[in-house]
Amino acid sequence: MPTFKTPFQGYAVKFSPFYEHRLAVATAQNFGILGNGRIHVLDLQPSTPPSLSDLLAFNTADAVYDLTWSESNDNLLASAIADGSVKLWDTSLPPHQNPIRSLHEHSREVHSVDWNPTRRDSFITASWDDSIKLWSPDRPSSVRTFREHSYCVYSANWSPRHPDVFASASGDRTTRIWDVREPTSTQVIPAHDYEILSCDWNKYDPCVLATSSVDKSIRVWDVGPPRADPSLCLMGMGTR
């Protein structure tokens, strides 16, 4: 089992959508409470036994909480930084020429970043300032801001099937479903009794969403319209 030891604590790890052997790691000093951050780009070497090599690393002055690979450019990474910024990195350039862009619109820590896997021309960020922002990598400012949560937004994730739909998980104990074509969220789910830290879509059923919370529960939700055949639903609304 290949192992790579990072100097800081790991917060997120993502495989490249282009290279099966490449992955990026977001890390933070002192468990993300205070200190620097570092992004590692690793290659899985087909040696015997297999090993992980550090292809390059990018240092940041603040913790890196999350990162995502571009779905349209195999060298591009976006990262969520504790200083409220979103930084873009080009792995084809040396560290001293990075980041290639720093976007600073969030007023508090950025905790989540996710690239649109179907449209591939945009990404979203979720922040402790209670907002979610939609970005295009070619624009110097955000495309849109989504403000309905009343507490930190810990996670926002695109639907793997619908290019306009994403879900968000918040400390206000709700999960919301959004359609970027609509002026407000399309669904509000009072999902847990305490803060919700993450959510993720089922890759095979576009209406099924899972959430996890500090109340120690994981719940699976059917967020689609009522179905004529209940067997089409993997698990019912609110099933633990």
Side-chain angles (χ1 to χ4, degrees), residues 52-228:
L52 283 167
S53 64
D54 199 4
L55 189 65
L56 73 164
F58 302 122
N59 294 318
T60 61
D62 296 273
V64 186
Y65 289 137
D66 196 16
L67 44 68
T68 184
W69 289 95
S70 166
E71 295 283 347
S72 59
N73 183 333
D74 60 345
N75 293 313
L76 190 61
L77 279 167
S79 59
I81 310 294
D83 65 358
S85 70
V86 181
K87 297 188 187 300
L88 299 180
W89 312 84
D90 188 336
T91 62
S92 68
L93 299 175
H96 71 272
Q97 294 183 26
N98 274 282
I100 59 172
R101 182 169 293 173
S102 184
L103 307 166
H104 206 145
E105 292 187 16
H106 285 293
S107 59
R108 292 192 63 193
E109 291 89 334
V110 184
H111 202 258
S112 171
V113 57
D114 191 43
W115 210 284
N116 192 319
T118 51
R119 180 156 285 155
R120 302 182 181 182
D121 62 352
S122 58
F123 61 92
I124 47 175
T125 55
S127 171
W128 293 4
D129 66 8
D130 311 347
S131 74
I132 304 148
K133 287 183 180 287
L134 173 67
W135 308 84
S136 170
D138 298 325
R139 294 183 55 165
S141 59
S142 62
V143 177
R144 182 180 168 188
T145 301
F146 304 85
R147 293 188 183 276
E148 288 184 25
H149 284 294
S150 59
Y151 198 64
C152 302
V153 188
Y154 292 111
S155 179
N157 292 281
W158 289 104
S159 164
R161 299 289 190 89
H162 199 301
D164 297 306
V165 174
F166 67 89
S168 58
S170 171
D172 65 10
R173 301 176 292 177
T174 68
T175 291
R176 292 177 183 262
I177 310 300
W178 309 79
D179 187 319
V180 298
R181 301 166 298 181
E182 301 294 333
T184 61
S185 61
T186 58
Q187 288 189 57
V188 182
I189 305 170
H192 291 267
D193 297 329
Y194 295 92
E195 290 182 279
I196 306 170
L197 300 183
S198 65
C199 60
D200 192 33
W201 295 90
N202 186 295
K203 303 301 184 289
Y204 304 97
D205 188 324
C207 296
V208 174
L209 182 77
T211 57
S212 64
S213 167
V214 296
D215 64 13
K216 303 179 183 178
S217 70
I218 294 92
R219 295 182 175 180
V220 179
W221 308 86
D222 183 358
V223 298
R227 310 193 194 200

